[in-house]
Amino acid sequence: MKRDMILLVLCLCVLAGIGWLNPDEAVPTAAIAQEQACTLILDAGHGGEDGGASTAAGNKESDINLAIVLKTHALMTFLGVEPSLTRNSDTSLHSSEAETIRQKKVSDLKNRVAMVEHVPNALLISVHQNHFTDPRYSGSQVFYGEGEANRQWGEHAQEALRQILSPENDRKAKPIPDGIYLFDHITCPAILVECGFLSNGEEAALLCTDSYQRKVAVALAGSYFSGVQGDLITKRGE
């Protein structure tokens, strides 16, 4: 399985360098496309008035999350998988009756849960960026939901991110902590991907570039094909 993932990642890296990542130009590849037993949902965290964390230069987490999700969507579509998106623009998903910032954030999260739960046989990748008071820390990290299948998926994703972004990254995939509203209320297999630290100047600068965002997209796609189609779909009941 690991060898297969490496080969797939290498192939995707070649694709990533030839400019296919414009969603309007993506063409499904029949040789790779398979009947989708599950629907992949790509969730760009935050949005609208909720920009999330930010870089020292003022780049918003919500914008970086969205850019990565759109690139991942384009790649997956190119490979014959059509994901759903919780958002495709810089908007909050709150209901119209929400007025205060707090109400809008709570409403946004509730609506994301409803969107995910409404999709039969859903699989969720939620994209975020990390931030810490100490700027020394860097590296992507994956958190996964309960169950063995989620653990395997999270580990696949962590390994793909390590291979493509930073081989020296020794972070491990971990169970998602309690108190993350979206993950506390959904029932489908899911991972949360912290792509890097916006508090680290060097990594933040990379995360704002088109080329680095493409690499993250390649890693997420690789984790789907090697981890999900190989193991997770057949173990949804575990």
Side-chain angles (χ1 to χ4, degrees):
M1 178 62 70
K2 182 176 180 180
R3 183 179 65 180
D4 292 342
M5 181 174 73
I6 293 172
L7 291 174
L8 174 62
V9 166
L10 290 174
C11 292
L12 294 178
C13 284
V14 172
L15 289 173
I18 60 177
W20 49 263
L21 276 172
N22 182 340
D24 295 330
E25 298 175 358
V27 178
T29 302
I32 301 177
Q34 301 180 32
E35 181 180 356
Q36 284 183 257
C38 296
T39 298
L40 176 64
I41 301 175
L42 299 173
D43 172 52
H46 306 283
E49 294 173 280
D50 178 14
S54 61
T55 69
N59 302 98
K60 297 188 300 182
E61 176 188 355
S62 57
D63 291 339
I64 298 171
N65 296 342
L66 181 60
I68 290 171
V69 159
L70 292 178
K71 288 176 172 62
T72 306
H73 180 272
L75 173 54
M76 298 299 293
T77 301
F78 182 87
L79 297 175
V81 175
E82 182 66 35
S84 294
L85 303 179
T86 56
R87 67 181 180 96
N88 59 11
S89 62
D90 184 23
T91 56
S92 170
L93 303 179
H94 64 267
S95 301
S96 58
E97 60 268 20
E99 297 179 353
T100 67
I101 294 295
R102 176 174 174 76
Q103 288 173 344
K104 290 178 180 180
K105 286 185 178 182
V106 171
S107 176
D108 174 278
L109 289 171
K110 288 183 176 180
N111 287 338
R112 287 178 199 251
V113 169
M115 291 173 67
V116 173
E117 290 294 280
H118 182 72
V119 177
N121 298 320
L123 304 168
L124 175 69
I125 298 178
S126 186
V127 174
H128 286 259
Q129 311 302 318
N130 221 330
H131 196 282
F132 196 62
T133 53
D134 190 334
R136 293 177 299 172
Y137 292 99
S138 64
S140 54
Q141 187 163 22
V142 177
F143 296 87
Y144 52 85
E146 293 183 0
E148 176 64 14
N150 275 325
R151 182 189 66 79
Q152 290 186 21
W153 188 14
E155 290 178 353
H156 277 292
Q158 183 71 46
E159 178 63 11
L161 288 161
R162 186 191 68 80
Q163 290 183 31
I164 292 176
L165 301 182
S166 54
E168 69 280 4
N169 181 10
D170 59 0
R171 294 182 180 277
K172 306 295 183 183
K174 293 183 177 181
I176 195 160
D178 294 334
I180 307 299
Y181 186 91
L182 179 62
F183 281 73
D184 285 346
H185 291 83
I186 58 174
T187 57
C188 69
I191 57 174
L192 184 152
V193 181
E194 299 278 6
C195 303
F197 281 77
L198 299 186
S199 47
N200 179 284
E202 182 177 353
E203 189 164 58
L206 288 172
L207 285 162
C208 292
T209 64
D210 183 74
S211 59
Y212 199 80
Q213 292 167 2
R214 291 186 183 198
K215 290 180 180 180
V216 177
V218 167
L220 298 182
S223 76
Y224 174 84
F225 284 104
S226 65
V228 178
Q229 291 197 343
D231 299 311
L232 185 56
I233 287 175
T234 61
K235 297 181 179 180
R236 286 179 60 86
E238 293 186 4

